[in-house]
Amino acid sequence: MSSPDPTSASAPVIVADDLAIGYDGVAIMEQLNFAIASGEIFFVIGGSGCGKSTLLRHLIGLLPPIRGDVQIFGESFIKTTLERRRELLKSFGVLYQGSALWSSLTLAENIMLPLEEYTTLSKRDRLQIARLKLAQVGLTGYDDYYPSEISGGMKKRAGLARALALDPDIVFFDEPSAGLDPITSRELDELILRIRDNHGTTCVIVSHELASIFAIADRVILLDKQARTIIAEGPPKDLAKNSTDPRVQTFLHRGDRPS
Ligand SMILES: Nc1ncnc2c1ncn2[C@@H]1O[C@H](COP(=O)(O)OP(=O)(O)OP(=O)(O)O)[C@@H](O)[C@H]1O
């Protein structure tokens, strides 16, 4: 599958509409407006502490917006009933920063958990799906390993396998490269790309890793702590080349060596 055209007529899978986010009624970001197309690899980027993870928590319904709305498949995720929200949650997978695997469970058992919670599949079928998902992320044969017995990169892959357990339409990633060396990080990027290309999965990724952003992002929104909102939106290479905003240039060209 080729990258989707975010300006195409197909309805967006996620819309943030005048969203204000924060904690205990105090906004840290306001006037967030964006739409994510089906099958898009969409990055939320910005400096440390600007609010990327907070935005992610609002998109997946862990925190209530201070103002505005989040729509998933054209439906308000905020105003809907609890039952409908649970239904919509089945179409999400989340890869948390630390992979969030249960240390007392094997990799297969970790992946079987969401299947146990959200489906009526037999244990045998759940195990078969867990093995398939492990194979999908390059962990064939690791079903009986515990998280403590595998590397950091493998933990991320196992976390991704669990996020994919219910064949979600959308996967959210919180800093997937955190704690990984550049080669392992690049392998994870390639895996994300492959999953999108093979399954059309929409990927929403919080990150400040320039290598990943330039390697796999179709489009980014850049959050700015001082402006307390989005200051740029578009394909990262276009922004790096064409933006006249010095804040955008500084963020996207940090680490460049003088020629
Ligand atoms: N549970 C919380 N309660 C109150 N404030 C919080 C909470 N979590 C984060 N914050 C604050 O919200 C702001 C944004 O934090 P957030 O973790 O979303 O930023 P980030 O862009 O993801 O940062 P990083 O790249 O360093 O992970 C920070 O000032 C942080 O201190």
Side-chain angles (χ1 to χ4, degrees):
M1 205 179 101
S2 60
S3 306
D5 174 2
T7 59
S8 75
S10 74
V13 292
I14 302 174
V15 170
D17 180 11
D18 192 27
L19 190 64
I21 60 169
Y23 298 91
D24 304 319
V26 180
I28 58 169
M29 284 271 149
E30 295 181 289
Q31 294 179 306
L32 302 176
N33 292 288
F34 57 87
I36 305 176
S38 176
E40 193 169 21
I41 298 185
F42 184 90
F43 271 62
V44 177
I45 67 176
S48 190
C50 72
K52 302 180 295 295
S53 300
T54 303
L55 174 57
L56 189 102
R57 285 180 210 131
H58 282 77
L59 294 180
I60 61 178
L62 286 179
L63 289 172
I66 289 171
R67 196 173 45 255
D69 198 13
V70 175
Q71 285 144 24
I72 308 288
F73 306 117
E75 197 175 335
S76 172
F77 189 50
I78 311 303
K79 295 171 195 151
T80 194
T81 61
L82 272 182
E83 200 181 6
R84 183 66 193 135
R85 200 183 243 231
R86 191 174 146 81
E87 257 325 286
L88 285 169
L89 278 175
K90 276 198 240 173
S91 58
F92 293 5
V94 185
L95 176 59
Y96 294 98
Q97 215 175 103
S99 302
L101 296 166
W102 292 95
S103 58
S104 58
L105 301 180
T106 65
L107 300 190
E109 285 166 348
N110 265 285
I111 297 163
M112 286 160 72
L113 273 184
L115 295 165
E116 212 171 311
E117 187 177 351
Y118 286 105
T119 75
T120 53
L121 291 168
S122 68
K123 189 169 179 196
R124 203 176 129 186
D125 288 347
R126 293 199 306 267
L127 183 59
Q128 197 170 356
I129 292 175
R131 287 187 175 138
L132 277 173
K133 296 299 167 190
L134 283 169
Q136 202 178 337
V137 300
L139 290 176
T140 304
Y142 284 92
D143 342 350
D144 293 332
Y145 280 65
Y146 286 89
S148 60
E149 297 174 318
I150 59 174
S151 70
M154 290 160 89
K155 276 187 203 142
K156 296 272 171 155
R157 284 167 180 265
L160 180 53
R162 190 180 57 189
L164 295 171
L166 296 165
D167 290 327
D169 297 303
I170 311 167
V171 179
F172 296 90
F173 299 78
D174 193 0
E175 299 279 4
S177 314
L180 300 184
D181 63 73
I183 293 169
T184 312
S185 173
R186 178 75 196 129
E187 286 168 356
L188 188 63
D189 286 345
E190 280 163 12
L191 178 60
I192 294 169
L193 205 51
R194 216 160 44 238
I195 285 164
R196 189 283 299 274
D197 288 349
N198 293 341
H199 303 277
T201 312
T202 305
C203 298
V204 182
I205 303 175
V206 160
S207 181
H208 54 240
E209 288 294 327
L210 284 180
S212 295
I213 293 164
F214 285 114
I216 64 168
D218 292 319
R219 226 152 40 93
V220 304
I221 50 171
L222 175 58
L223 305 183
D224 184 81
K225 201 171 180 172
Q226 271 71 45
R228 299 172 68 238
T229 194
I230 298 167
I231 57 164
E233 173 174 355
K237 286 177 190 147
D238 288 3
L239 292 177
K241 197 167 159 221
N242 302 322
S243 174
T244 54
D245 186 330
R247 298 167 300 181
V248 178
Q249 290 302 331
T250 303
F251 187 86
L252 291 175
H253 288 287
R254 70 193 197 277
D256 282 3
R257 284 157 210 252
S259 48

